[in-house]
Amino acid sequence: MQTIILEHPGYLRLESTPEPAAPGPGEALVRVRRVGICGTDIHAFHGRQPFFSYPRILGHELGVELLALGPGTKGPPPGAICAVEPYLNCGTCIACRRGRTNCCTSLQVLGVHTDGGMRECILVPASKLHASEKLSIEQLALVETLGIGAHAVRRAALDPGEQVLVVGAGPIGLTVMQFARLAGAEVIALDISAERLAFAQAQGLADHAVVAGADSDAAIGALTHGDLPTAVFDATGNAASMMRGFELVANGGRLIFVGLMQGDITFNDPNFHRREISLLASRNATSGDLRGVIAQIEAGAIDTQPWITHRATSDEFAEQFPGWLAPDTGLIKGMLLFGES
């Protein structure tokens, strides 16, 4: 079968690998039809992804077709199309026992800690399949990335009418904006890219857009009438931006780190205490988050059509992907297509 392997930073190769074995108890054999490309894949390609080793089969945003279930395994019927929850948790640690499966003490994420879905077929736990009879295969491949934003907003427990700032208008920042709007918040988007901010506003994801720069603090202050946002989500994975967030959140507000970077984050403790800031990390998503995303797409609350800006077949991907990363390509969400020419 076709498999795309990230051999080392900057080098993807397409090769033929053996088909998976038949599924065992609790397992499902699926045909991968779509793989969404996210920041994790880009960071891995550039050699900047934490918790990562090479070579690695990338791919954790998957739209798949169920081929077979293992003996005695419950799940959707063969032929069902599904999103895959790519977070492989132990089920017994303190986090799992409390329902916090997204931060299991021995968590493995497909395409990050273990090989992922950039291959024609893969075995996954049947419990990690989320089927839909209404959504397309490409919509299902977007469920995981939307789940990141859904989980972050759930962590923040936003109130309707709350003014929030989302720093970073890349795919993850856009998903945060999506669910902040669905929660009834007023969203201010901050980014260095005017083009990405324009996309966020054109899609109705942001009420206000601020280009990062010397005047951005004043602009945010004006939009909040001097109060500052009560919730600040940082989706940049940039240390300077993440540390700056402590200055942008209102007294009594919360700062939510959705992005991830390698290294330490520091802050001024007196300022942190004076404002009584709540600092939250948001990692991955839960089954409930993903089921909620599917329900909202099915109900028409989320329009996924504009998100996918780039597509490539498995034969084209290794050659085309590096070109997608140029600043002027307008990449929002890339999609890898298996089984199509």
Side-chain angles (χ1 to χ4, degrees), residues 49-75:
Q49 176 60 32
F51 319 124
F52 201 85
S53 61
Y54 301 86
R56 177 66 68 217
I57 301 172
L58 300 175
H60 62 276
E61 300 180 5
L62 307 180
V64 304
E65 176 187 356
L66 176 61
L67 298 180
L69 294 169
T73 302
K74 294 182 179 180

Side-chain angles (χ1 to χ4, degrees), residues 88-99 101 104-106 128:
L88 309 181
N89 61 294
C90 72
T92 59
C93 73
I94 180 61
C96 289
R97 297 198 306 270
R98 299 180 66 233
T101 55
C104 167
T105 60
S106 57
K128 299 297 183 180

Side-chain angles (χ1 to χ4, degrees), residues 161-232:
E162 190 169 351
Q163 288 185 305
V164 307
L165 174 67
V166 180
V167 186
I172 295 303
L174 293 171
T175 68
V176 173
M177 296 178 207
Q178 175 75 78
F179 287 93
R181 288 298 304 272
L182 289 173
E186 180 182 340
V187 175
I188 304 166
L190 176 68
D191 198 276
I192 60 174
S193 168
E195 290 76 16
R196 286 197 167 189
L197 291 171
F199 178 88
Q201 287 197 290
Q203 304 309 319
L205 303 178
D207 298 282
H208 313 284
V210 178
V211 178
D215 299 327
S216 55
D217 286 11
I220 293 166
L223 289 168
T224 58
H225 308 289
D227 289 334
L228 295 180
T230 50
V232 175

